[in-house]
Amino acid sequence: MAASVGLPSDDLAVQATNDDATSCKRYAVDRGYWKDEFIRYLYRSSEKKSPEISRGYYARVKSIHILVDQFLDRTQQKCQLVTFGAGSDTLHWLLWKRKKLPALHVEVDFPTVTARKSHCIKTRPVLLEALSNPVITMEAIRSDHYVLLPADLRDVKSLGKQLIDAGLDPNLPTLFLAECVLAYVEGAKVNDVIRWTAEHFKTSVFLNYDPINPFDKFGEIMKQNLKSRGCALLGMETCPDSESQVKRYHDNGWEGAWSMDMAEVYARLPRDDVARIERIDFLDERELLDQLLRHYCLSGAHLDSQQLGELCLLPLVYSSERTLQIKDSLQG
């Protein structure tokens, strides 16, 4: 695409990971792991993936959707959602279909990525229908409840201005969501983003899904595979595990924070639905799935200046014992 001219090769390689992720999600949706009638309009092909990959994406999508729902319920949808590195994500349309939209949803990504998404939305009536009073340009969209914003997370000063100019209200409860984004950004610049959100949005939640554990054999192979494609995990080695994820939130102005690897998340998702998806594809050995899940984590933090209560009630998904553990850590 012409919009790609002049971009560093590593930026282009990172952007290509969006296609990889969307292909995996599309295959899992086609197999019935979860429902998403909109993904086929943003990614039309589907290549076979291993059961481990599909179960890993199920855990990622299911847990994040539950957490977003909890936030929307807690705030009665009088809130905002900001998705960093949104790529071809369909969350906005899934929420629209269920009549569960926030007051404003801003999706942020590289201009080349937003340009492709803008074109898809403009040319597919089923996607365009979800937008009220849209103004669509080559790289951006602005509508009553949805904004598609071309921006660079590494320039937080410019990013912050763009978000406020897009209509983001610092006084409304806001959820910031990043999925496999921060690991590709230099650690100091990730800190800038996390600190900026905490400083400007005092009633908010930050959710992050990222790879972890880069120093064992599995992690080294994961890093080498990405490096061979031009994707350096610049932020991963400075925040390599769940403990450092929590520390990073606290160091940058957030109050309560938690993190768990995806093996724990998978083990604590609703068991009836997990049993359903485990019947879809036969899994030869559990060991590879466990390894994969232990090399990704889901973390979160919150600020609650408006005293709404725990904005991000992750433990509601899991066991009562885990609920008490996390609740104690949040209050302590």
Side-chain angles (χ1 to χ4, degrees):
M1 290 184 292
S4 302
V5 174
L7 279 176
S9 59
D10 53 347
D11 282 4
L12 293 174
V14 169
Q15 291 172 42
T17 63
N18 170 60
D19 287 345
D20 296 338
T22 312
S23 175
C24 291
K25 289 180 179 179
R26 172 69 196 267
Y27 179 76
V29 168
D30 288 347
R31 293 289 296 157
Y33 282 80
W34 68 91
K35 293 180 180 180
D36 185 344
E37 63 191 274
F38 302 103
I39 194 168
R40 66 181 183 270
Y41 298 106
L42 289 167
Y43 198 87
R44 292 191 170 183
S45 62
S46 176
E47 297 177 3
K48 186 175 181 179
K49 309 296 179 184
S50 70
E52 295 86 358
I53 296 294
S54 293
R55 291 190 190 187
Y57 271 91
Y58 163 81
R60 167 181 170 177
V61 170
K62 182 74 172 180
S63 57
I64 288 173
H65 284 186
I66 289 173
L67 292 174
V68 170
D69 266 8
Q70 289 177 351
F71 183 81
L72 291 167
D73 290 342
R74 172 67 67 174
T75 60
Q76 298 180 325
Q77 297 171 231
K78 297 172 184 177
C79 61
Q80 302 166 130
L81 173 60
V82 179
T83 307
F84 293 132
S88 301
D89 190 57
T90 58
L91 178 59
H92 182 80
W93 287 267
L94 294 172
L95 293 174
W96 168 77
K97 185 71 175 181
R98 295 166 52 216
K99 296 181 171 55
K100 206 163 185 177
L101 286 176
L104 182 65
H105 184 183
V106 182
E107 291 191 332
V108 179
D109 215 315
F110 283 112
T112 48
V113 178
T114 61
R116 187 168 68 172
K117 192 166 192 176
S118 176
H119 176 75
C120 285
I121 294 169
K122 180 174 65 175
T123 57
R124 291 163 174 78
V126 69
L127 300 179
L128 192 58
E129 181 186 359
L131 308 186
S132 175
N133 301 316
V135 176
I136 302 177
T137 65
M138 182 178 292
E139 296 176 345
I141 296 176
R142 296 202 178 203
S143 64
D144 291 343
H145 302 285
Y146 173 81
V147 174
L148 180 63
L149 189 66
D152 191 333
L153 293 184
R154 296 167 298 190
D155 184 354
V156 72
K157 184 177 181 180
S158 175
L159 171 67
K161 184 178 186 306
Q162 286 178 273
L163 288 171
I164 299 302
D165 289 347
L168 210 61
D169 182 354
N171 296 311
L172 270 184
T174 304
L175 188 154
F176 297 94
L177 174 61
E179 294 184 54
C180 275
V181 176
L182 303 185
Y184 296 110
V185 181
E186 183 184 347
K189 294 189 181 300
V190 173
N191 289 339
D192 290 342
V193 172
I194 295 177
R195 189 180 309 113
W196 183 88
T197 55
E199 289 174 350
H200 291 81
F201 294 82
K202 295 302 185 182
T203 303
S204 55
V205 167
F206 202 115
L207 290 178
N208 180 45
Y209 173 91
D210 252 343
I212 54 170
N213 297 330
F215 303 122
D216 61 12
K217 184 176 181 181
F218 190 98
E220 290 291 345
I221 292 172
M222 180 169 61
K223 285 193 300 181
Q224 287 302 317
N225 286 341
L226 286 166
K227 187 176 180 180
S228 69
R229 298 173 49 191
C231 297
L233 291 169
L234 300 174
M236 186 177 176
E237 293 193 4
T238 59
C239 200
D241 51 34
S242 286
E243 291 75 16
S244 56
Q245 295 271 335
V246 171
K247 184 177 185 300
R248 181 167 65 182
Y249 287 123
H250 287 311
D251 288 348
N252 289 288
W254 289 82
E255 293 172 359
W258 53 266
S259 180
M260 59 180 73
D261 69 42
M262 293 305 293
E264 183 175 1
V265 171
Y266 188 86
R268 296 177 183 276
L269 286 171
R271 303 324 297 164
D272 56 344
D273 201 51
V274 170
R276 176 189 64 81
I277 66 102
E278 288 186 342
R279 292 192 292 269
I280 294 174
D281 290 307
F282 175 72
L283 188 63
D284 245 346
E285 296 182 11
R286 177 78 187 208
E287 183 181 355
L288 181 56
L289 174 62
D290 289 340
Q291 278 190 318
L292 179 67
L293 293 174
R294 293 198 184 281
H295 284 80
Y296 288 87
C297 79
L298 185 63
S299 67
H302 75 261
L303 294 166
D304 192 9
S305 66
Q306 297 180 20
Q307 302 299 309
L308 297 178
E310 294 165 357
L311 288 176
C312 192
L313 298 176
L314 173 75
L316 287 182
V317 189
Y318 309 110
S319 71
S320 58
E321 179 183 355
R322 182 63 182 172
T323 299
L324 293 174
Q325 290 173 358
I326 296 183
K327 196 167 186 178
D328 287 344
S329 71
L330 291 175
Q331 293 175 345

